[in-house]
Amino acid sequence: MKFMLKCFVLCTILLFGVLIGMQQANQGIIKMKGYQDPDLQSAFQVENETGDVQASILGNNVTSQDLQEKQEQLEQIEAFNFFSQIGKQFATLVSNGVSSLLESIATLLNRN
């Protein structure tokens, strides 16, 4: 659990680092051009219009409704992951193998 938490935190930090780097690159391009280009959008924007907060990443608006729809789609798919099943079977096989090996070593030590 700790490992998964550390990985999640690290990935989150790296994602925000990439977004900040893209924003810095965008600002550098604007400075090099010397003028504001309306076609050039920033990497990450949070707009507050009339008390409503809207976020956009790379020009695409992100809303909580979009995220909920995607979550519902993923729940409906219930896709079969072939590699996940192979991993589970391999883990079971290794676990059973190690257990039987330890039991056989214990029985050999108890006989002596």
Side-chain angles (χ1 to χ4, degrees):
M1 185 67 182
K2 286 183 180 181
F3 175 74
M4 292 299 292
L5 182 64
K6 288 179 184 178
C7 286
F8 177 73
V9 169
L10 182 63
C11 289
T12 304
I13 290 171
L14 291 176
L15 174 68
F16 282 115
V18 167
L19 290 175
I20 290 171
M22 291 171 69
Q23 183 70 29
Q24 291 295 323
N26 184 26
Q27 291 175 357
I29 290 172
I30 291 171
K31 286 180 183 178
M32 276 183 19
K33 281 187 172 185
Y35 63 92
Q36 182 73 20
D37 187 3
D39 294 332
L40 198 61
Q41 297 179 354
S42 62
F44 183 75
Q45 295 177 342
V46 176
E47 301 169 358
N48 190 359
E49 298 174 0
T50 66
D52 188 25
V53 177
Q54 295 179 345
S56 65
I57 298 175
L58 299 176
N60 297 328
N61 289 336
V62 177
T63 62
S64 62
Q65 185 178 10
D66 292 338
L67 295 175
Q68 289 174 352
E69 288 175 3
K70 288 181 183 180
Q71 183 179 4
E72 289 174 3
Q73 286 176 351
L74 288 174
E75 289 174 355
Q76 289 176 357
I77 291 174
E78 297 178 359
F80 175 75
N81 190 346
F82 177 71
F83 293 108
S84 175
Q85 292 298 323
I86 289 177
K88 287 179 184 177
Q89 290 176 356
F90 181 71
T92 303
L93 179 70
V94 169
S95 177
N96 291 338
V98 170
S99 295
S100 63
L101 180 67
L102 289 176
E103 286 177 11
S104 62
I105 290 173
T107 55
L108 285 174
L109 291 176
N110 287 337
R111 288 183 186 172
N112 294 333

